[in-house]
Amino acid sequence: VACLPMSVPRVNPYPWKFAMSYTAKGLSHIYILHETGDAGAHRVVYMDGRTHPDDLLPSWWGHSIGRWDGDTLVVDTVGYNEITPGFGVHSEKLHVIERWRRPNRGRLEIEVTATDPEAWTGEHKWSFAASLIPNQEVLEFICAENNQDVNHWSTDRAWRGRP
């Protein structure tokens, strides 16, 4: 399991980069590059106005289309396979909406809403916040235990007896 990509949403609060592709018509693709040992895995978010294909082959990352809602990037993903991690028990009907917002230079906020009419009743929602500047409200840190992040900077200071 350690060699498999983390996928959405587990990878969202970890370090990432966005690469963008433009055509004469404007932004066509956003590539979300993962730097957490996913062996170069990346997501493609189609920004060219296309819809999800009717004949999707379920995959690890699914099929993502994006659009702008004011200053918020909305990413709509379907077509996950049943073994995509991060969602617990789910079917290939899993549908995820992510809302990526950057309220200021040093902060990125992500809200995730997931539905699966074959496996769940209702929807599941959660959010992440990441500081892009060290020692701000939330630190980015990769944790190997229980897949949880803790504020290692303040924990380390307390451990060393500093105020």
Side-chain angles (χ1 to χ4, degrees), residues 21 29 44 68 72 80 84 97 101-102 108 122 124 130 134 138 147:
S21 175
H29 300 78
V44 178
W68 290 102
T72 302
Y80 291 105
T84 298
I97 304 286
R101 187 172 164 273
R102 185 178 172 192
L108 187 63
H124 296 272
V138 179
N147 195 32

Side-chain angles (χ1 to χ4, degrees), residues 109-128:
E109 299 171 347
I110 310 158
E111 296 176 6
V112 179
T113 303
T115 57
D116 187 334
E118 288 188 5
W120 309 334
T121 57
E123 61 185 21
H124 296 272
K125 290 186 173 195
W126 56 97
S127 61
F128 306 103

Side-chain angles (χ1 to χ4, degrees), residues 22-159:
Y22 291 87
T23 67
K25 295 180 181 180
L27 179 62
S28 63
H29 300 78
I30 295 176
Y31 302 93
I32 303 175
L33 310 174
H34 305 287
E35 300 175 347
T36 56
D38 281 351
H42 64 279
R43 284 177 72 192
V44 178
V45 179
Y46 297 97
M47 297 292 294
D48 56 5
R50 72 180 70 191
T51 60
H52 295 297
D54 292 330
D55 59 347
L56 269 177
L57 179 63
S59 65
W60 199 270
W61 295 101
H63 183 269
S64 298
I65 55 176
R67 64 179 172 78
W68 290 102
D69 181 7
D71 66 348
T72 302
L73 172 63
V74 179
V75 179
D76 181 312
T77 307
V78 298
Y80 291 105
N81 60 34
E82 291 181 352
I83 61 171
T84 298
F87 298 102
V89 175
H90 66 276
S91 74
E92 292 178 357
K93 298 293 183 188
L94 178 64
H95 185 187
V96 177
I97 304 286
E98 299 161 87
R99 299 181 62 81
W100 297 71
R101 187 172 164 273
R102 185 178 172 192
N104 59 48
R105 184 172 85 73
R107 186 170 175 84
L108 187 63
E109 299 171 347
I110 310 158
E111 296 176 6
V112 179
T113 303
T115 57
D116 187 334
E118 288 188 5
W120 309 334
T121 57
E123 61 185 21
H124 296 272
K125 290 186 173 195
W126 56 97
S127 61
F128 306 103
S131 173
L132 306 176
I133 301 172
N135 301 327
Q136 293 293 316
E137 181 179 302
V138 179
L139 291 177
E140 294 175 350
F141 195 89
I142 298 170
C143 179
E145 294 190 350
N146 298 326
N147 195 32
Q148 295 183 15
D149 189 3
V150 295
N151 187 334
H152 287 79
W153 182 78
S154 62
T155 301
D156 183 55
R157 286 171 55 101
W159 178 75

